[in-house]
Amino acid sequence: MNLTDLYDAILNGKLDRAVAVTNEAISEGVLPNEIITNYMIKAMEEIGNRFEAGKVFVPNLLMSARAMKGALDLLKPLLQGETDAYVGKIVIGTVKGDLHDIGKNLVASMFEGCGFEVVNLGVDVSSEKFVEAARTNNADIICMSALLTTTGEFYQFNLSSCIRQQNSLTAQFVSFSLSNLANIFYPPPIFTIINLCLL
């Protein structure tokens, strides 16, 4: 077994191959963290770099994310109870009034591929649900998604709700939210966001 085959499978979006190599690695006793850190994350970082350089496109990202998720699903049961298994925990959802989820799910998959534990709340998520999920799961980061301009206003409403319940969030998040509450900006490429979350 050659674990670089897993790297190549994820990079090239080959789900079946990624699952097969991961199963082999598990049967041979390779540690899940080694598989994730040394091969899966690196493959996702490379596909992200290629995307940002314009060398691959959204379908390539989706196929790589699908292959990564298939392999990661095999490893998740082996990670139960390991406090250092993830680099952080993220709560993500599409804001209230918006039912779009393709982009949100892609971002969630990218975060998973880069070593984060992701709690995906789905679509049409209220501010109360965001806050409660962050508190219940002891999340490090909240990610809110919206496609419609008519639902963009919920970002500010949700941030206001988070600030009112700041005991459930970190001081850094509250400080950031307060200083940027009135600002709406188009996000940078996903791997730029992920790199910021890793800081």
Side-chain angles (χ1 to χ4, degrees):
M1 178 201 60
N2 186 349
L3 275 173
T4 57
D5 288 346
L6 176 59
Y7 174 94
D8 292 336
I10 292 174
L11 185 61
N12 295 300
K14 305 296 185 184
L15 171 62
D16 291 342
R17 183 59 182 155
V19 168
V21 176
T22 302
N23 271 321
E24 288 181 43
I26 292 171
S27 66
E28 293 187 18
V30 181
L31 295 176
N33 280 338
E34 180 181 346
I35 299 171
I36 294 170
T37 303
N38 295 336
Y39 301 96
M40 295 175 64
I41 290 178
K42 291 187 184 302
M44 294 306 296
E45 287 175 347
E46 177 58 23
I47 194 69
N49 290 337
R50 293 184 186 185
F51 177 74
E52 291 182 13
K55 296 179 179 178
V56 298
F57 304 97
V58 170
N60 304 99
L61 281 180
L62 290 170
M63 289 188 295
S64 289
R66 181 168 169 261
M68 178 278 303
K69 188 177 186 303
L72 190 62
D73 284 346
L74 297 174
L75 297 173
K76 281 181 179 178
L78 306 177
L79 295 172
Q80 297 297 323
E82 293 191 29
T83 57
D84 60 346
Y86 299 100
V87 298
K89 184 178 288 188
I90 288 175
V91 165
I92 188 171
T94 303
V95 300
K96 186 175 178 60
D98 199 325
L99 302 178
H100 294 87
D101 68 351
I102 293 176
K104 181 262 297 175
N105 288 339
L106 175 58
V107 170
S109 294
M110 296 294 111
F111 272 113
E112 282 189 316
C114 290
F116 287 87
E117 182 178 0
V118 175
V119 178
N120 193 333
L121 302 178
V123 300
D124 195 28
V125 181
S126 67
S127 59
E128 293 82 6
K129 190 171 181 180
F130 273 115
V131 172
E132 181 59 30
R135 178 189 294 114
T136 302
N137 294 281
N138 195 27
D140 303 297
I141 298 166
I142 298 174
C143 294
M144 292 178 284
S145 173
L147 178 64
L148 303 174
T149 55
T150 53
T151 56
E153 65 188 63
F154 281 102
Y155 282 122
Q156 182 166 341
F157 180 77
N158 287 346
L159 288 175
S160 299
S161 297
C162 290
I163 291 166
R164 287 197 302 271
Q165 303 184 51
Q166 60 182 291
N167 61 306
S168 66
L169 303 165
T170 65
Q172 294 95 324
F173 179 85
V174 173
S175 175
F176 177 83
S177 301
L178 283 168
S179 64
N180 292 276
L181 187 56
N183 297 332
I184 297 176
F185 61 92
Y186 197 81
I190 178 57
F191 276 88
T192 301
I193 297 172
I194 290 172
N195 287 333
L196 288 173
C197 291
L198 287 168
L199 293 178

